[in-house]
Amino acid sequence: QVQLVESGGGLVQPGGSLGLDCTASGSIFSINAMGWYRQPPGKQRELVGISGAGGTTYADSVKGRFTISRDAAKNTLYLQMNGLKPEDTAVYYCNAVVRVPGQTYYNNYWGQGTQVTVSS
C-alpha cells in the first residue's frame, strides 16, 4: 500500500519559521497531486496548499508566508512556513492523490500528521 510520512513539526515563537516535509512510499504508479492541510484545535481540516499539474495554489490565509515545493523524483513535498502566527497552530497533514499498479483510478492518501504549535 501507500504510506505518507510527515516530519518537521514542533514549537516555534510567533514570527518564527519552520519547515515540514512529507515523503510518499510504497506501491505507486503515479501521483496526480500532493498537498498540505491542517486542522486547528476545535476546527475542521482546511487546505493549506496543493501542488498539481496546474501549478501550486495556496489558501488566502497563508499566501506570502508559506511556500510549497515538490521533488517529484523523490515523491516528497515540502512546506516552508515563515512569519508564523498563533492561528497557524494546528496538526498539519500531508495528502497525495495516488494511482497504484493495477488500478485505473486515483485514491486519496493521508499521513498521520505533525503538530505545529506557535506560542510565546
Side-chain angles (χ1 to χ4, degrees):
Q1 204 182 21
V2 176
Q3 300 84 225
L4 301 180
V5 179
E6 305 104 330
S7 63
L11 175 65
V12 63
Q13 291 190 330
S17 297
L18 204 62
L20 308 180
D21 62 80
C22 167
T23 298
S25 63
S27 184
I28 298 172
F29 180 81
S30 63
I31 297 178
N32 183 258
M34 296 184 73
W36 288 100
Y37 294 74
R38 67 186 184 185
Q39 187 167 13
K43 296 185 177 181
Q44 298 295 310
R45 189 174 298 186
E46 64 187 31
L47 173 71
V48 175
I50 55 173
S51 176
T56 304
T57 187
Y58 301 91
D60 288 341
S61 59
V62 306
K63 284 182 179 177
R65 299 188 298 121
F66 291 10
T67 301
I68 289 173
S69 58
R70 181 180 173 188
D71 187 336
K74 297 181 178 180
N75 291 331
T76 298
L77 191 72
Y78 304 93
L79 177 63
Q80 180 62 47
M81 302 181 288
N82 300 320
L84 284 162
K85 305 174 181 179
E87 52 262 43
D88 295 318
T89 295
V91 178
Y92 283 71
Y93 296 92
C94 179
N95 171 265
V97 182
V98 179
R99 181 182 176 184
V100 305
Q103 294 182 158
T104 59
Y105 55 92
Y106 289 84
N107 279 335
N108 280 293
Y109 293 86
W110 294 91
Q112 291 300 120
T114 184
Q115 177 70 48
V116 173
T117 302
V118 184
S119 176
S120 298

